Amino acid sequence: MESAVRSAYIGATMSDPNSPDRFNEEGATFAVRGSETPDLDAGVAAIRNVLKTLPARPGVYRMQDARGDVLYVGKARALKHRVANYTQPAKLSNRLRRMIAQTRGMTVVTTNNEAEALLLEAQLIKRFRPAYNVLLRDDKSFPYILLRGDHDFPRVQLHRGARRVKGDYFGPFAGAGQVRKTLNALQKLFLLRSCTDGFYNSRDRPCLLYQIRRCSAPCVDRIDKAGYAELVGDARDFLMGKSTRVQAKLGEAMEAAAANLDFEQAAVLRDRLKALTFIQGSQAINAEGVGDADIFALAAKQGQIGIQAFFIRGGQNWGHRAFFPAHTAEVPEAEVLAQFLMQFYEEVPPPKNVLIDRALPESELLADALGERAGFRVEVSQPQRGARRRLMEQAQRNAVEALDRRMAESTTQAKNLRDIADLFGLAEPPDRIEVYDNSHIQGTSAVGAMIVAGPEGFRKGQYRKFNIRRAATDDDFAMMREVFERRFARAQEEDPDRDKGVWPDLVLIDGGRGQLNAARGVLEELGIEDVCLVGVAKGPHHGREGREVFHLMDGSERMLPVNSPALFHIQKLRDEVHRFAIGAHRQKRAKAIGASPLDEVPGIGPARKKALLMHFGTARAVRGASLEDLRKAPGVSSAVAQQVFDYFHMR
């Protein structure tokens, strides 16, 4: 039976690479039951058991421990030959020997070629976050500029996330600040609207942006469709790097307006030309002639690695960002960079040129995989001369400086964590700190918030918000109890052995003795006695920074000097949970404002809801309408009318 399962599994191939779930794996896990403790011989035995039936084909393998958690994801040109290396641990590094000692099973997926295996490897690393793979540790998605294509007068806006809206996407930008700067330039240069469709449809006179010459006011017909389309085309050319063409066109139009004695229009065009010239002169780096390229430089020092990325599109600098990959110990620098690039481009569409500062052992394979993902040829190269070489040297300097700053911050952070451990009686500096807060307005739209921080800073990918369901939303203590019940009951269910890194070493609660006792009571009911809880209250001088009082579980209170770095660190954590809680509350409140009683009626979708509101005017009028009136509404059948009437009148 086991051999039959293995044969079917080994024959699995990759699904359509263009489908949403590009890799459809079918297979089984080969496990050797044994001791839970790491054992090198048991790990080698488990790998040899799988090796017997592996083909010499391209594919991806996953090393798994006794519980089935993924330890490592790797790809191979020939699975049988690659996995065989793990059966000779004496020739491997200490890091790989530790991994083998924990291995008790493997999952293998074959692919059509090695490039597909490389793509699948990056996808699985991002999904499972294995402990022995280099990980791209970055929680923020990249912003884009979206020039919408679903309106006669397209809107230009900042965009994050999935590309569901029809239009042209330009990016990635390093941060939202760079996007806003470019959007501001687009408004000055091309007078494109930035308002929502609802605001646009409600206008009967131009808004302030028209008055300050940042919009052409298509909402009130100050420009026709053809004229606006021309502005959109110019903006598209600008974003694609054809700013010289746009500049020449504006110059010719200004001269023509002046020749026709239309000095007002000439002044408008002059201001637009000034804005374009300013933008061209304000680029932090000169990337003219580079086209579309991403530039990556790696810096290493004292076992830590930083990677600096520059984003160049159409010869324009769209910002830069530093990354600090995790799990890089004992991994060659070239391998770190290669793993980083594949994970980076799992989310970001690659440009035509990827410039790197060192040779990679499989750069051609990397280029093939990126080209397959992008749909066009991607070149991965190490620049040697000219403008590209100068840009690379600048990226290398930035990488070194960013890593130096990171290491200096880490040293300060480590000292702060040691001081916090001493203050609260912890045996070791905390690796995971969780901070909790609630946010509501007189009990409405109540939400609880949890942020997570560690030695490397905030872990934003692990933040959580809790919509308050059961507790009275005017009772802060009850809300805190609900949040802790849900958080720690789930932790007990998902990680009972506490070896997945999701249990906190220190919990800070924004509040005094009451909130602390509420949280403590929940943990006692769950049988959790070894989590350190601390309440952070504003103290006797309410609202004054530096006078915070820390309430400990033994009933004692502590304070720190107003100039204490540890106090500043705790204040930073508290301010972050405030920001996150208030943001979550505002989102919930905004959603509630836009909600309608019709949303709760079974069988009423957006189209019928719109038809009812257009016919009756308000949801209150729909609620009070008779059955006969409901049947008269356009697009509403007798059955639906009966359903709406019964919902409001038969409950």
Side-chain angles (χ1 to χ4, degrees), residues 604 612 626-632 636-647:
I604 298 297
L612 287 167
S626 67
L627 179 59
E628 190 61 32
D629 288 338
L630 289 170
R631 287 172 175 162
K632 293 177 181 178
V636 178
S637 66
S638 296
V640 172
Q642 186 70 54
Q643 199 167 3
V644 174
F645 184 83
D646 290 346
Y647 179 82

Side-chain angles (χ1 to χ4, degrees), residues 4 65 107-108 134 184-185 227 238 241 243 247 253 311 370 396 410 490 538 545 564 575 582:
D65 62 16
T107 300
V108 178
V134 173
N184 186 43
F238 172 78
S243 57
Q247 190 171 23
F311 307 115
L370 294 180
Q396 289 171 327
S410 298
R490 183 171 181 177
K538 292 186 172 64
E545 292 285 338
S564 167
D575 292 345
I582 291 170

Side-chain angles (χ1 to χ4, degrees), residues 107-384:
T107 300
V108 178
V109 180
T110 59
T111 60
N112 295 320
N113 53 58
E114 195 176 4
E116 290 179 350
L118 190 59
L119 291 170
L120 176 56
E121 178 192 36
Q123 186 184 35
L124 294 179
I125 290 172
K126 194 168 186 68
R127 184 195 304 176
F128 293 110
R129 313 288 293 175
Y132 288 91
N133 281 99
V134 173
L135 298 181
L136 168 56
R137 186 169 53 197
D138 187 56
D139 299 314
K140 294 193 295 184
S141 62
F142 287 89
Y144 286 76
I145 285 178
L146 168 60
L147 191 56
R148 298 181 68 121
D150 55 356
H151 197 280
D152 287 343
F153 297 92
R155 173 191 180 194
V156 62
Q157 66 184 81
L158 182 150
H159 177 84
R160 287 186 189 268
R163 301 184 178 190
R164 298 190 180 95
V165 180
K166 179 183 177 183
D168 297 318
Y169 293 83
F170 301 93
F173 287 80
Q178 192 75 21
V179 174
R180 293 188 181 97
K181 178 181 176 182
T182 306
L183 286 175
N184 186 43
L186 290 175
Q187 285 183 297
K188 290 180 179 179
L189 274 168
F190 307 111
L191 311 180
L192 301 182
R193 74 178 184 95
S194 58
C195 57
T196 63
D197 290 349
F199 185 85
Y200 175 90
N201 293 329
S202 67
R203 300 304 299 177
D204 55 11
R205 62 178 181 175
C207 67
L208 180 62
L209 289 177
Y210 174 78
Q211 307 298 335
I212 62 174
R213 296 179 178 176
R214 294 202 177 182
C215 181
S216 52
C219 53
V220 290
D221 299 326
R222 296 298 172 94
I223 187 171
D224 60 18
K225 184 176 178 180
Y228 194 86
E230 185 176 358
L231 294 178
V232 170
D234 290 344
R236 188 179 289 110
D237 286 344
F238 172 78
L239 289 169
M240 294 176 64
K242 302 173 183 177
S243 57
T244 304
R245 179 190 303 175
V246 175
Q247 190 171 23
K249 183 177 178 181
L250 287 174
E252 291 172 2
M254 183 183 70
E255 291 176 1
N260 293 330
L261 305 182
D262 188 353
F263 299 116
E264 184 176 353
Q265 178 64 15
V268 171
L269 293 168
R270 178 204 61 202
D271 292 342
R272 291 174 62 189
L273 265 173
K274 282 184 179 179
L276 178 57
T277 304
F278 174 79
I279 294 165
Q280 291 171 331
S282 63
Q283 295 282 343
I285 60 175
N286 180 17
E288 188 176 355
V290 176
D292 293 345
D294 287 341
I295 302 167
F296 298 94
L298 182 147
K301 189 178 293 186
Q302 298 178 15
Q304 298 192 47
I305 287 180
I307 297 174
Q308 185 73 36
F310 284 179
F311 307 115
I312 310 297
R313 295 296 182 272
Q316 300 180 68
N317 172 28
W318 283 1
H320 56 89
R321 186 188 291 185
F323 300 87
F324 304 94
H327 305 170
T328 58
E330 301 182 48
V331 182
E333 294 175 8
E335 183 179 339
V336 171
L337 183 57
Q339 289 279 335
F340 166 85
L341 290 174
M342 282 309 304
Q343 293 176 51
F344 178 83
Y345 288 118
E346 178 62 24
E347 292 291 339
V348 178
K352 293 181 179 180
N353 294 288
V354 176
L355 308 181
I356 53 179
D357 68 338
R358 65 199 63 217
L360 299 182
E362 297 181 324
S363 59
E364 292 184 5
L365 174 63
L366 177 64
D368 290 343
L370 294 180
E372 184 170 317
R373 188 185 187 285
F376 51 77
R377 185 174 181 272
V378 174
E379 182 180 352
V380 178
S381 61
Q382 185 180 0
Q384 303 296 328

Side-chain angles (χ1 to χ4, degrees), residues 488-501:
F488 285 94
R490 183 171 181 177
Q492 284 184 321
E493 179 183 350
E494 295 182 351
D495 188 17
D497 298 329
R498 303 194 185 187
D499 57 2
K500 293 184 178 179

